[in-house]
Amino acid sequence: MIIDDEPDICRLLQLSLVRHGYNVKYVNSLTEGLRHLENQRPDILFLDINLPDGSGLEALPNIKRQCPNLPVITISAYDNGPEKQQALETGASYFLAKPFSTKNLDDLINNFKS
């Protein structure tokens, strides 16, 4: 599952994940993403931390309480130390900085499939 407000990022992630055998659902708002997580348990979650309707970073602890074994990869254009550190401390499995290459994405996905 992908929660990101940038359609191009969602499509890029979706194409990479499909190539690795995942069925992919993406939504463009935190509200919609949290609603989907109430009823579905994805294998992996890509979560933008800056969304128009809320902070993925603030939602992360609740997501991890609801789905403790769900690998969450936070995504952000802001690759600063405190934001990255907070994401990892509150349950993110990985912090992916935008822009990212398809090679980096493939390597990351392969790490979570192992």
Side-chain angles (χ1 to χ4, degrees):
M1 177 173 215
I2 303 162
I3 304 173
D4 196 301
D5 61 320
E6 294 181 51
D8 290 343
I9 295 292
C10 289
R11 284 191 290 277
L12 174 63
L13 288 168
Q14 181 182 38
L15 288 171
S16 292
L17 288 162
V18 165
R19 209 172 46 246
H20 287 273
Y22 289 98
N23 292 320
V24 181
K25 167 77 177 166
Y26 67 83
V27 296
N28 301 118
S29 73
L30 184 58
T31 303
E32 191 176 358
L34 295 176
R35 197 173 323 124
H36 281 284
L37 286 174
E38 289 175 4
N39 304 314
Q40 300 176 3
R41 293 293 181 256
D43 294 324
I44 192 167
L45 172 65
F46 284 82
L47 175 65
D48 189 359
I49 60 176
N50 295 301
L51 294 154
D53 65 334
S55 166
L57 200 53
E58 290 176 11
L60 184 56
N62 290 333
I63 291 170
K64 289 304 289 185
R65 271 192 294 280
Q66 184 179 347
C67 310
N69 297 321
L70 175 64
V72 179
I73 297 164
T74 53
I75 339 170
S76 178
Y78 306 104
D79 188 15
N80 66 42
E83 197 171 65
K84 180 178 183 176
Q85 182 177 349
Q86 184 180 356
L88 295 171
E89 286 175 356
T90 56
S93 302
Y94 190 83
F95 184 93
L96 183 62
K98 297 177 193 175
F100 49 84
S101 71
T102 54
K103 166 104 174 76
N104 292 104
L105 192 53
D106 286 342
D107 290 345
L108 177 61
I109 294 168
N110 283 329
N111 285 338
F112 283 97
K113 287 182 83 170
S114 308

